[in-house]
């Protein structure tokens, strides 16, 4: 199965966006990570919805419905994370 983006779920991205010359608080770092995670989760929800559409086109409507139910659950969780993020947002 072809996958057109890189995955690294062990938190391998780098947060030092200014070469070690900026002062970010631990909360700013946590907010930056949450923002990344919410965006990453949204991208995965879209990929799952696309997969569901292909299942439906292939004639497996039951699988389509189940994957779309999972997408809905995924989006609800991401919405909760977004609410938390909004309350943590560091200006």
């Amino acid at each position: 199965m072809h996958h057109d983006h890189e995955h690294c779920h062990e938190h391998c991205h780098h947060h030092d966006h200014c070469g070690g010359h900026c002062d970010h608080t631990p909360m700013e770092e946590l907010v930056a990570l949450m923002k990344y995670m919410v965006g990453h989760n949204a991208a995965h929800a879209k990929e799952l919805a696309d997969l569901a559409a292909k299942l439906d086109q292939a004639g497996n409507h039951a699988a389509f419905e189940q994957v779309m139910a999972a997408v809905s659950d995924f989006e609800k969780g991401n919405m909760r994370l977004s609410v938390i993020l909004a309350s943590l947002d560091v200006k």
Side-chain angles (χ1 to χ4, degrees):
M1 177 178 205
H2 175 68
H3 213 66
D4 63 0
H5 72 276
E6 190 175 314
H7 283 267
C8 188
H9 292 278
E10 293 84 36
H11 187 78
C12 64
H13 62 281
H14 184 243
H15 287 284
D16 185 9
H17 300 290
C18 44
H21 302 294
C22 327
D23 294 319
H24 292 292
T25 67
M27 183 57 72
E28 288 170 331
E29 289 292 320
L30 291 170
V31 168
L33 180 58
M34 275 295 269
K35 285 180 181 178
Y36 166 80
M37 295 296 292
V38 167
H40 190 77
N41 289 347
H44 281 294
K46 182 184 179 332
E47 288 177 330
L48 287 169
D50 291 346
L51 182 144
K54 289 176 183 173
L55 286 166
D56 200 31
Q57 290 168 359
N60 194 335
H61 192 70
F64 162 79
E65 288 179 339
Q66 289 301 306
V67 173
M68 288 308 295
V71 168
S72 177
D73 292 342
F74 205 89
E75 289 173 338
K76 286 176 192 171
N78 212 35
M79 188 180 304
R80 286 180 187 250
L81 294 175
S82 294
V83 169
I84 294 164
L85 178 60
S87 73
L88 296 176
D89 203 11
V90 176
K91 307 292 184 245

